[in-house]
Amino acid sequence: MRVLVVGSGGREHALAWKISSSPMVEKIYCAPGNAGMEDLGECVNITPEDVKTLARFAVEKKIDLTVVGPEAPLVMGLVDEFQARGLAVFGPTAQAARMEGSKAFAKQLMLESGIPTAPAEVFDDLEAAMRCLRKKEPPYVIKADGLAAGKGVVVAQDDRQAYDALKACLVDRKFGASGDRVLVEDHLEGREASVLAFVDGEKVLPLQPAQDYKRVGDGDTGPNTGGMGSYSPVPFVGEGDFRRVVEEILFPAAKALAARGILYRGVLYAGLMMTSEGPKVLEFNVRFGDPETQALLPRLKTDIVEVMKAVVEGRLESIPKLEWREEPCVTVVLASAGYPGTYETGFPIRGLEEASQIEGVNIFHAGTKRDAKGDLVTSGGRVLNVSAIGPDFAAARKRAYDAVARIDFRNMYYRRDIAQGVV
Ligand code: AMP
Ligand code: GLY
């Protein structure tokens, strides 16, 4: 098979790595990919949002399966465009991708089908939103309806912060059309976890839980990022909790979509708060999580291409379960100092070979490229993901940080507390 992977981050490198281990795969293309993905396939300089050019490329290269990493092209209709040309593509259509593309749509679907989530109201008017807040106690949770590159959620501690967040969306249009509607939602307390599942209509095949670290600083301090680390599985999501996630959230979500005439095929990601009343949904995403994927796929024994093919062909029931390695996996993200704000790039990266020699270690690239001389240099905020599998969390964590200690680039920054204390 000839497989096209769309995207350029650590998630896409991990996907391409896992896909490349399938005996069915002869050739991988990455659009646009990164320096690490160059070792697995041919990188082509087409951006994920350039849906029409990607579709033409897939026709020309006779691609047998396209796998989409990021959400934006899904929400824009990449899958619809590919399907119209008879191309096999793994991911939801634009209509189905509203589960991530519109928080109002997802919230309404959850509330109508009894899926546990925080109650919320939708507003397009600042005054009305403020009136709603006055009936509530802080902290207030304010969310832009549409895609906002992970920056559309504010947990406001007082009226002033809430007003600023609402005004940024509704008046200053900080997120453009994505913030023309906002959700004001009740605040949930608990620990967060992610559960992803392969979904084919009403059929659901869950992956094991994963945990990501969204804040930039140790001890969950500082601004939100695209993710500074992850681990899998998640000991605090016990078997009973996991069953509830599957039965109270994932199956009902698939059913509710089907009942609306929406055929969902791809990965559905439930971002969860494990509350004292049980798991509740914070958000749905319509794709693999980043960096959860980098801690999940090293543990997955099942051939992911077989699963993706089954989803695309509407026969997910032919894969009764996923096989996992028992050992946990810990992923540490190496970033450019300054991220998620401004940062410098173009610095040479050293030590990857030595780092990858440590047992159980896989290094997934994100913001890396080859410079004019062919040397590996930094090219983004999140630069590398160091994943390590080990007999237990302490061992996996030690391997990951031992590998990190062998890697060096100017302004390298990482969290030192990923998976700390997890047993
Ligand atoms: P989301 O993009 O919806 O997952 O929101 C980003 C982050 O905001 C989540 O990971 C949570 O930490 C926080 N958050 C979102 N919704 C809520 C809520 N209802 N209660 C508490 N925290 C929330
Ligand atoms: N790790 C969060 C996300 O992928 O959205």
Side-chain angles (χ1 to χ4, degrees), residues 103 118 141 143 153 185-188 192 214 273 282-283:
K103 289 185 191 286
V141 181
K143 302 186 171 184
V153 178
E185 132 172 349
D186 285 4
H187 186 257
L188 299 175
E192 289 184 44
K214 290 197 168 88
M273 191 71 92
L282 294 172
E283 63 165 345

Side-chain angles (χ1 to χ4, degrees), residues 34-268:
N34 57 40
M37 293 167 84
E38 276 169 13
D39 296 338
L40 298 171
E42 188 177 330
C43 294
V44 290
N45 195 14
I46 310 172
T47 59
E49 289 81 19
D50 192 355
V51 164
K52 284 215 167 5
T53 308
L54 283 172
R56 277 198 297 272
F57 176 83
V59 169
E60 186 192 315
K61 296 292 182 189
K62 301 191 169 59
I63 300 294
D64 300 296
L65 176 67
T66 297
V67 177
V68 186
E71 62 278 10
L74 295 168
V75 172
M76 286 169 66
L78 181 147
V79 169
D80 310 70
E81 181 74 32
F82 274 56
Q83 284 176 348
R85 294 171 194 241
L87 293 160
V89 53
F90 178 83
T93 58
Q95 200 188 29
R98 279 190 296 161
M99 285 294 268
E100 179 167 358
S102 168
K103 289 185 191 286
F105 171 82
K107 186 63 75 175
Q108 192 181 2
L109 179 138
M110 286 188 270
L111 294 177
E112 284 175 10
S113 35
I115 295 172
T117 187
E121 286 182 66
V122 182
F123 298 96
D124 57 12
D125 174 76
L126 181 60
E127 290 307 314
M130 284 306 289
R131 275 199 298 279
C132 166
L133 282 180
R134 288 194 190 100
K135 291 180 284 172
K136 293 179 189 280
E137 297 286 316
Y140 310 109
V141 181
I142 300 183
K143 302 186 171 184
D145 175 45
L147 293 186
K151 301 194 174 72
V153 178
V154 172
V155 179
Q157 300 303 329
D158 55 36
D159 284 28
R160 181 78 228 173
Q161 285 178 11
Y163 177 84
D164 289 346
L166 289 167
K167 181 167 170 286
C169 286
L170 297 170
V171 181
D172 305 334
R173 302 193 79 228
K174 182 176 171 192
F175 304 114
S178 284
D180 284 346
R181 288 198 298 175
V182 294
L183 277 73
V184 175
E185 132 172 349
D186 285 4
H187 186 257
L188 299 175
E189 304 277 348
R191 299 175 81 174
E192 289 184 44
S194 310
V195 177
L196 286 63
F198 291 100
V199 175
D200 163 21
E202 294 190 38
K203 291 165 268 180
V204 172
L205 182 63
L207 284 81
Q208 289 200 348
Q211 168 74 61
D212 75 343
Y213 290 78
K214 290 197 168 88
R215 303 289 205 90
V216 75
D218 286 359
D220 293 329
T221 52
N224 266 323
T225 69
M228 294 302 293
S230 58
Y231 64 82
S232 161
V234 183
F236 71 79
V237 180
E239 246 175 71
D241 285 329
F242 186 70
R243 204 170 315 121
R244 286 185 71 175
V245 172
V246 174
E247 283 167 14
E248 297 174 15
I249 293 169
L250 294 169
F251 270 112
K255 237 188 158 68
L257 283 160
R260 285 164 175 70
I262 299 171
L263 177 60
Y264 193 106
R265 281 188 177 151
V267 158
L268 183 65

